[in-house]
């Protein structure tokens, strides 16, 4: 258990940051799922628009530190490949 004031503050701060980061990750996942559902339904126009909406969200996640740069890049690349395959 934390004894020092700074350790107690760190526990409070970590809990707050975890809540915020969880919300950010959840938001990114929602955008990714929108792309995946558009691809699954075979609607190219919707998939392209959803991909355009998802890219800045993933970039924002990288900037905020909730996603690794390579992870976001890999996810975007794979989504773009699936959207392009709809032809």
């Amino acid at each position: 258990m934390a004894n020092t004031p700074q350790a107690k503050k760190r526990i409070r701060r970590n809990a707050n940051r975890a809540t915020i980061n969880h919300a950010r990750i959840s938001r990114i996942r929602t955008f990714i799922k929108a792309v995946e559902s558009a691809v699954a339904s075979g609607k190219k126009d919707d998939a392209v628009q959803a991909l355009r909406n998802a890219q800045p969200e993933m970039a924002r996640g990288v900037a905020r530190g909730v996603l690794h740069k390579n992870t976001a890049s890999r996810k975007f690349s794979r989504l773009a490949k699936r959207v392009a395959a709809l032809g």
Side-chain angles (χ1 to χ4, degrees), residues 31 35 45-58 76 83:
F31 277 87
V35 178
D45 294 337
D46 292 345
V48 168
Q49 187 59 44
L51 187 63
R52 283 189 189 143
N53 293 338
Q55 185 179 16
E57 281 301 319
M58 288 192 281
F76 184 74
V83 169

